[in-house]
Amino acid sequence: MSEQRTEIASLGEFGLIEHLTKNIELHNASSIVGVGDDAAVIDPLGKQIVVTTDMLVEGVHFDLMYTPLKHLGYKSIVANLSDVYAMNAQPTQVTLSIAFSNRFSLEALEEFYEGVYAACEEYDVDLIGGDTSSSQKGFIISVTALGEVQQDQYVRRNTAKEGDLLCVSGDLGAAFLGLTLLEREKKIFLESPQVQPDLENRKYVVGRLLKPEARRDIIAFFAAQQLKPSAMMDVSDGLSSEILHICNQSNLGCVLYEEKIPIHEDTRNAAFGFELDPTACALSGGEDYELLFTIAQSDYDKLLLNEQISVIGYMTSPEKGKKIITKGGNTFDITAQGWNAFTA
Ligand code: ADP
Ligand code: MG
């Protein structure tokens, strides 16, 4: 945070909103009226609109002791865009509502908005509105994202088919290890503030926690290759719980191969440092913002064109259950808390 501290009270609510939103230029054709009126106006232009919203509460979803405000702004937007991509849609607009105590200065909010605008620019979305309030304690953020999809091209969680391939983008478990690491450093700092944080070789996992990206590239790849997953969702609560959602909602079972789960080498090393099983971190971690999807086997050749996509298993009939086959060849039930099976 910068040295200067301007009290929000010196601007007033309208002055603050004006200050934070004065440079907005709307880029999407569907954004007709943005900030400044009683409501925004968007024109779907013949497409279907998807809407998603998420709330982030200080002390519950983020810790400002190790989360820079700019990163928090960026992540607040990205987490919502990830849900839009998970519907196979293109995000186009966001609204952002915030509540904050008098602990927050104008400079702090400017820093937060810097991250918000950086994400809007990166993903070509327009900030078209929001609300501003004070809170008795802490910082509360609510983002709503809107996106567009061609008629009936959206992809739900409940439409996977038996025999479909089970696939995931990118790699998993890193953000969980970034969080574990920062929580450890925070504890050490609180006990002995003179100790410098030890984040050596941990850039990747910390980066994945503090500056996640949404998988716009995967949706673009589907469009370019004329692929349409049969079911899809984003991975925000850990792979195992997301797989169970797709299985349960589609009324299917699945087979997941442990050896196929993509885990970055830095994630593996970080896990070993904490004496954690990397697979367990991927299964039960969170905040990966990758895409989990099922797709017809006949599309396998096209999937090979994208090295960011891993085929990790396949869908079965419901009677076969939801199974993980370990590297050692053992079969376990997939549980929402993925590591029970491994410590058992
Ligand atoms: P109202 O009294 O109708 O709720 P506000 O004074 O809260 O209007 O908001 C005025 C305009 O500023 C609206 O267009 C609203 O969407 C926008 N706005 C308010 N707060 C924010 C914010 N934190 N970020 C972005 N836009 C905001
Ligand atoms: Mg308002």
Side-chain angles (χ1 to χ4, degrees):
M1 226 174 281
S2 56
E3 300 279 309
Q4 205 181 337
R5 183 184 163 94
T6 309
E7 296 301 328
I8 307 281
S10 69
L11 285 107
E13 184 188 328
F14 300 127
L16 173 68
I17 296 171
E18 157 71 13
H19 181 83
L20 293 175
T21 60
K22 61 177 184 280
N23 293 325
I24 294 179
E25 288 171 23
L26 300 177
H27 292 295
N28 278 292
S30 56
S31 303
I32 309 297
V33 176
V35 169
D37 218 307
D38 297 300
V41 179
I42 58 171
D43 181 343
L45 300 166
K47 294 189 179 160
Q48 288 174 325
I49 303 249
V50 303
V51 186
T52 176
T53 194
D54 258 314
M55 189 181 279
L56 297 169
V57 179
E58 183 179 358
V60 179
H61 301 99
F62 59 90
D63 187 332
L64 288 177
M65 205 169 149
Y66 53 73
T67 311
L69 280 161
K70 188 173 169 181
H71 287 75
L72 181 63
Y74 194 89
K75 185 170 177 170
S76 305
I77 301 298
V78 163
N80 276 269
L81 302 187
S82 179
D83 282 320
V84 174
Y85 290 124
M87 297 301 289
N88 198 35
Q90 191 63 50
T92 42
Q93 290 89 16
V94 288
T95 66
L96 167 63
S97 299
I98 51 175
F100 45 86
S101 69
N102 57 15
R103 173 162 64 93
F104 291 82
S105 65
L106 176 65
E107 288 75 17
L109 293 182
E110 283 174 343
E111 203 184 318
F112 174 78
Y113 267 79
E114 248 182 74
V116 166
Y117 287 126
C120 288
E121 197 173 317
E122 179 67 29
Y123 291 91
D124 293 321
V125 303
D126 295 321
L127 177 62
I128 56 162
D131 198 19
T132 307
S133 171
S134 54
S135 85
Q136 291 212 328
K137 199 166 167 279
F139 192 25
I140 298 163
I141 305 157
S142 172
V143 175
T144 298
L146 295 108
E148 299 171 357
V149 59
Q150 299 287 353
Q151 295 287 328
D152 300 326
Q153 289 301 301
Y154 60 84
V155 176
R156 300 194 55 185
R157 301 173 174 185
N158 62 355
T159 39
K161 301 277 174 297
E162 189 177 337
D164 282 351
L165 301 170
L166 181 63
C167 308
V168 73
S169 66
D171 60 79
L172 302 172
F176 171 75
L177 282 151
L179 178 65
T180 307
L181 190 76
L182 291 176
E183 286 286 344
R184 181 189 72 182
E185 295 306 320
K186 173 186 169 181
K187 201 162 160 264
I188 293 172
F189 176 80
L190 290 175
E191 282 161 11
S192 18
Q194 75 285 1
V195 179
Q196 286 299 305
D198 173 19
L199 300 176
E200 196 73 8
N201 301 323
R202 297 293 181 255
K203 248 199 190 131
Y204 184 71
V205 295
V206 171
R208 289 277 283 168
L209 177 77
L210 294 183
K211 190 170 179 287
E213 301 291 354
R215 294 317 300 247
R216 173 189 207 168
D217 59 322
I218 300 293
I219 300 309
F221 171 75
F222 291 152
Q225 296 296 325
Q226 295 181 304
L227 287 170
K228 189 184 176 207
S230 51
M232 183 157 59
M233 64 184 299
D234 73 332
V235 183
S236 49
D237 295 334
L239 180 65
S240 59
S241 106
E242 316 299 23
I243 287 178
L244 293 178
H245 280 304
I246 289 190
C247 287
N248 292 336
Q249 294 198 30
S250 298
N251 191 29
L252 292 175
C254 74
V255 172
L256 167 67
Y257 294 100
E258 182 190 10
E259 64 181 357
K260 303 283 189 199
I261 300 173
I263 300 177
H264 194 280
E265 197 183 311
D266 292 357
T267 307
R268 272 183 211 288
N269 289 332
F272 294 141
F274 285 104
E275 295 185 10
L276 292 171
D277 175 359
T279 301
C281 296
L283 288 173
S284 301
E287 302 200 283
D288 293 305
Y289 301 113
E290 296 295 347
L291 292 173
L292 174 71
F293 59 95
T294 59
I295 197 161
Q297 285 186 31
S298 54
D299 290 323
Y300 179 70
D301 288 348
K302 285 185 178 176
L303 295 179
L304 292 179
L305 298 172
N306 193 327
E307 57 182 23
Q308 286 293 310
I309 293 174
S310 302
V311 178
I312 56 175
Y314 60 94
M315 307 307 289
T316 63
S317 60
E319 316 82 67
K320 299 231 168 94
K322 300 135 207 162
K323 304 291 182 187
I324 178 167
I325 300 180
T326 66
K327 289 173 185 165
N330 295 311
T331 303
F332 291 101
D333 284 331
I334 298 174
T335 60
Q337 287 297 319
W339 56 52
N340 291 351
F342 296 93
T343 51

